[in-house]
Amino acid sequence: MKIIDSKYVIIFISLLMGLNSYAQEKVQDPIRLNQIGFYPNASKVAVVITDAVDSFYISTPDLKNNVFSGALGEIRSSAFSSKKTRIADFSSLTKEGTYVLVVPGIGQSYSFEIKNKAHDEVAKASIKSFYFQRVSTSLSEQYAGKWKRKAGHPDNNVLIHPSALSAKRPEGFIISSSRGWYDAGDYNKYIVNSGITMGTMLSAYEDFPTYFDEMNLDIPESKNDVPDLLDEVLWNLRWMLTMQDPDDGGVYHKCTNAKFDGMVMPDFTKLPRYAVQKGTAATLDFAAVTAQASRVYRKYEKIFPGLADSCLRASVLAWQWAVKNPNVEYNQGAINKQFDPDITTGAYGDSDFKDEFSWAGAEIYLTTKDDAYYQSVLTYGGSAITLPSWSNVRALGQYSLLRFNKTLTPLAQKDFDERKRNLFAMVEEWIKGLNQSTYQTAIGQSKKDFVWGSNGVCANQGIALMYAFQVSGDRKYFDAAIGNLDYMLGRNGTGYSFVTGSGDKTPMHPHHRPSEADGIVDPVPGFLAGGPNPGMQDKCSYPTSVADEAYLDNACSYASNEIAINWNAPLVYLVSAIEAIQSQNEKMK
């Protein structure tokens, strides 16, 4: 047997280690695109992580029929890592079909479709995810499929927490507070987060009623004469109405366990539930939602007699409480020092209520046309617009004022031009850097975008862009909104389509108790995962801390992989708005 010199063994091992290191550094899924598809006559963009290849082509999935070829764009450098990207633009390909994008020497993409109604199923799934979050009811196999489950949290014996006791609701007082949606991956219900969620969902209906009127979500109410979106929203609205103290109009901050449940199914947990402290933010969010609901459900008076009137009365009563109590902060730490039991579930604490006064004032004004309420909009920020979040809801009122501009009283009408300017000033900041950004998206041009719930930021940017498009008719805003939808469906730093069940590479282990505890491999579909978050507050072991890649598909990662109704709601708006406008364009041809 021939003996090999030891120095050659060392060299050989070194080469193997070098190859292994190269393999580890090689980018996974180097072609990033919307894994669902594209519209025939809309923008179509993919991103290739490379600085070495110059061309690409589009082929059928069997690679036997090439239908398009093109040159990759100039090299772009990531602001957050050493990655280099190039853009593959195939917008001029309009033939419907199923395709893959191929880059010689790099590989091929996941398959995608070019067709009308390209995102209709994503829209439906994103709305039906709220059905899967219903509290106080079982989900039958007829409507939930393999994700059927038993009812949890009847919430018909909710204790008034010591922080919320009053003369007419003393210690031991019980209310019924059933229905509603589980807020996120946990099993509690929060008025503040329901506020922005409901406002966004109701706005989607007010902006695109025809699209939703024709939609069938296959939920228990689908055969009635009410759009399924509004049937679903009503499930949460009914709960919100139970959270108002009828004696004074104040609204409890949340309906919750004292502490979070474990990773169990909802019927397993039997912990006591509490209605915790009234607060200014919760009361004003409630006032805004119920005023908007009064407008929307007025059309369905025969089916829901008295609902619209009840909502408006509740809204005005809540407003009056907030005016009398303008600075009641929900401070969970302070509450726990005073009262037992300690409450350690989501705080949703906020100490600045100017945006809530502005939003509630706008919605009540639009429903009543009483200029006294619009005066509050002027007092608390005028026509200023900033990207909305659960703690900053001013933009929701501004969007509604833009929506109903033609029916405003003169006092509000005079601010229309300034309102438009403020909207365009915000979105133009994203547009001007679009063609230099790594993934050619509005999202991701600043590290500040990658916060807890960065995909919610992405979806809310998309909504703002859609309003800019609807006000101006300028197609660049619409294309940028599609770009942000593309981001959430795969054109991003992780290569994930962040909507469960939509695409080839999607979250399989979201921080969502039913998805983890039900014993089913696939998570509940239609949920938008939180997205990259370099803050990594959950202390899990992330694959990277790079801002636009700091994501972990593991139930441990509540900071990047939890789901939440306030992230899903803007996804509902964005994808539905895009579908509605595209469908209208097709009908006009």
Side-chain angles (χ1 to χ4, degrees), residues 39-45 56 67-70 89-95 114:
Y39 303 101
N41 296 303
S43 60
K44 304 174 192 68
V45 171
F56 72 97
V67 298
F68 183 91
S69 62
D89 191 326
F90 51 105
S91 300
S92 58
L93 175 60
T94 60
K95 184 179 180 181
I114 295 178

Side-chain angles (χ1 to χ4, degrees), residues 475-528:
R475 182 76 187 195
K476 71 179 182 181
Y477 300 119
F478 185 79
D479 288 342
I482 288 182
N484 269 27
L485 179 60
D486 286 350
Y487 171 95
M488 289 183 283
L489 294 175
R491 196 173 103 206
N492 58 62
T494 72
Y496 275 91
S497 168
F498 287 116
V499 181
T500 57
S502 295
D504 289 283
K505 181 182 178 181
T506 67
M508 294 299 292
H509 302 284
H511 183 88
H512 178 240
R513 280 160 176 77
S515 292
E516 278 298 295
D518 61 10
I520 298 167
V521 173
D522 296 323
V524 177
F527 288 123
L528 180 65

